[in-house]
Amino acid sequence: MKKIRVQFLLFVYDKTQKLYRKYFKKKKRQWQFNERQLLEFQEDSLGRKLGEFYHKHGFSMIPKMENHDVHHLITGCGTNFEDEIAMQYLLLGNGKLNAHLLAAIVLGTFILPEYVKIYIKAYKKGQNMREFHQWDFESLLWQNFDHLKDFIQQKDTVILH
């Protein structure tokens, strides 16, 4: 039964992500790198880790959606459907809000409700991270991945003097 539910989500995702890119990402340009070029970055860089991610999973870059894949790396969220939904919850907790994200959360929760505890945990994790959902990660591809990940996973703290 879960297999049928996931197939339905895959169908919906395939149809909606094209519309999302067309209408919500029309001002955004695709990155100037491809998967092979990312593998040429320095070993400990974000760019190299992203290239390895694509290679490991057999994925291709989707134009204008590259930040989404960086979000997987930064957050540690997997790529199966319950993890994709959890990542949307994490991004909501991090401050991201748009119709596509809300639709993914509502539909994903309705179709895969058995993961609701994981979704809530992801939302709280997003709240406890620095706000990163709007960052331009293409300009950070040369940065040390572990340092960048550690920086994002530390919530901003207010220091009163």
Side-chain angles (χ1 to χ4, degrees), residues 55-108:
H55 182 74
K56 175 184 174 187
H57 295 287
F59 294 159
S60 298
M61 296 173 84
I62 299 173
K64 301 182 179 185
M65 299 292 286
E66 300 90 351
N67 277 350
H68 176 86
D69 298 323
V70 174
H71 294 163
H72 280 286
L73 292 174
I74 296 295
T75 64
C77 288
T79 58
N80 56 35
F81 251 94
E82 56 269 20
D83 291 333
E84 288 285 353
I85 297 162
M87 190 167 76
Q88 298 306 313
Y89 270 90
L90 186 146
L91 292 170
L92 180 66
N94 195 248
K96 184 174 182 176
L97 186 60
N98 64 45
H100 191 259
L101 177 135
L102 291 175
I105 285 174
V106 169
L107 188 60

Side-chain angles (χ1 to χ4, degrees), residues 9-159:
L9 284 172
L10 277 168
F11 172 79
V12 171
Y13 172 76
D14 182 56
K15 300 303 178 196
T16 60
Q17 69 96 1
K18 292 172 186 164
L19 294 171
Y20 177 68
R21 284 189 297 147
K22 182 177 180 179
Y23 294 107
F24 289 91
K25 300 281 189 175
K26 59 183 163 189
K27 293 181 182 179
K28 188 170 172 63
R29 66 166 181 78
Q30 75 181 67
W31 285 11
Q32 302 303 304
F33 299 96
N34 62 37
E35 299 89 343
R36 181 187 46 77
Q37 292 169 319
L38 291 173
L39 289 170
E40 296 172 4
F41 275 76
Q42 188 172 352
E43 190 173 337
D44 60 355
S45 69
L46 171 61
R48 176 69 167 268
K49 297 294 184 189
L50 185 57
E52 291 170 354
F53 172 82
Y54 288 126
H55 182 74
K56 175 184 174 187
H57 295 287
F59 294 159
S60 298
M61 296 173 84
I62 299 173
K64 301 182 179 185
M65 299 292 286
E66 300 90 351
N67 277 350
H68 176 86
D69 298 323
V70 174
H71 294 163
H72 280 286
L73 292 174
I74 296 295
T75 64
C77 288
T79 58
N80 56 35
F81 251 94
E82 56 269 20
D83 291 333
E84 288 285 353
I85 297 162
M87 190 167 76
Q88 298 306 313
Y89 270 90
L90 186 146
L91 292 170
L92 180 66
N94 195 248
K96 184 174 182 176
L97 186 60
N98 64 45
H100 191 259
L101 177 135
L102 291 175
I105 285 174
V106 169
L107 188 60
T109 305
F110 179 74
I111 293 179
L112 295 172
E114 62 267 32
Y115 298 101
V116 73
K117 287 182 182 177
I118 292 170
Y119 303 154
I120 293 168
K121 185 176 178 182
Y123 177 82
K124 291 177 181 176
K125 181 178 179 180
Q127 288 181 310
N128 290 317
M129 299 172 88
R130 289 182 194 268
E131 192 173 296
F132 68 90
H133 65 88
Q134 79 289 4
W135 287 14
D136 171 21
F137 284 102
E138 184 181 19
S139 65
L140 299 172
L141 291 173
W142 292 266
Q143 297 298 314
N144 179 285
F145 173 72
D146 290 328
H147 294 164
L148 186 61
K149 185 176 177 179
D150 289 346
F151 179 77
I152 289 171
Q153 291 186 355
Q154 297 171 8
K155 181 78 171 176
D156 292 325
T157 54
V158 177
I159 299 173

